[in-house]
Amino acid sequence: MLSVVFVVLRYLFLTLMLVFLISLVGWMVKDLRAAGGLAGRRKPAPATNNPSLGKVAGAAVVVLRTSSRLLSPGDIFALGEGTVIGRSGDCDIVTGDSFTSARHARIFLHGGQYWLEDLGSKNGTYLNGVKVDVPAVLADGDGIEVGGTIFQFVRWGA
């Protein structure tokens, strides 16, 4: 009789472990989707397809090099008054790069000039190879490194 109880307890334990593991995987998938880490991430329309962006001061960022499957070298993204770059699906430019924070960096217009600001990212944001600790003014041709992606800032008509 005692051996039957142990067998029943063993199978009950295995069943609970299986339910726990399935729940754990479900939570992980849900969190990854919320952070933009799985399929369903949106890639913003390039500047050439979205004329409403970038009308403020005629500026864009061009992807020079990337390790992301969501971006390609040559992709162009127009900048508005504020553009957030990151891994999260709610960012204006979604990199999909594992070295990029969910909300990594922000490019914003202030006083007629574009500025680059790191949003507390773990791996840092770099402007022309120098880590950005405080907001920095952008000039035409500047290189912006966010995770495994390098953008070039382009400004015209300023």
Side-chain angles (χ1 to χ4, degrees), residues 36-41 43 66-72 75 95-97:
L38 284 181
R41 288 178 283 193
K43 180 177 176 181
T66 184
S67 60
S68 168
R69 59 184 162 82
L70 294 180
L71 300 175
S72 302
D75 283 350
T95 64
D97 177 10

Side-chain angles (χ1 to χ4, degrees), residues 28-86:
M28 290 173 21
V29 167
K30 179 182 167 191
D31 285 347
L32 281 172
R33 283 196 176 131
L38 284 181
R41 288 178 283 193
R42 61 184 169 86
K43 180 177 176 181
T48 55
N49 295 341
N50 195 345
S52 64
L53 294 173
K55 289 195 171 186
V56 177
V61 290
V62 179
V63 177
L64 295 181
R65 189 181 70 200
T66 184
S67 60
S68 168
R69 59 184 162 82
L70 294 180
L71 300 175
S72 302
D75 283 350
I76 301 171
F77 298 97
L79 301 174
E81 291 189 26
T83 302
V84 177
I85 303 170

Side-chain angles (χ1 to χ4, degrees), residues 8-149:
V8 169
L9 286 176
R10 182 183 307 162
Y11 282 112
L12 180 64
F13 176 74
L14 289 174
T15 303
L16 289 175
M17 287 292 289
L18 185 62
V19 168
F20 173 74
L21 288 175
I22 290 171
S23 298
L24 186 65
V25 169
W27 291 330
M28 290 173 21
V29 167
K30 179 182 167 191
D31 285 347
L32 281 172
R33 283 196 176 131
L38 284 181
R41 288 178 283 193
R42 61 184 169 86
K43 180 177 176 181
T48 55
N49 295 341
N50 195 345
S52 64
L53 294 173
K55 289 195 171 186
V56 177
V61 290
V62 179
V63 177
L64 295 181
R65 189 181 70 200
T66 184
S67 60
S68 168
R69 59 184 162 82
L70 294 180
L71 300 175
S72 302
D75 283 350
I76 301 171
F77 298 97
L79 301 174
E81 291 189 26
T83 302
V84 177
I85 303 170
R87 191 179 67 237
S88 175
D90 65 343
C91 291
D92 300 306
I93 300 175
V94 179
T95 64
D97 177 10
S98 61
F99 295 106
T100 304
S101 298
R103 292 177 49 86
H104 196 101
R106 177 173 78 116
I107 299 173
F108 63 96
L109 185 65
H110 178 73
Q113 292 199 299
Y114 278 96
W115 294 71
L116 175 65
E117 175 184 31
D118 182 74
L119 297 176
S121 65
K122 185 174 183 179
N123 292 323
T125 301
Y126 293 84
L127 176 61
N128 297 324
V130 178
K131 188 172 183 180
V132 175
D133 294 320
V134 296
V137 175
L138 291 171
D140 185 42
D142 279 347
I144 301 167
E145 186 174 346
V146 175
T149 304

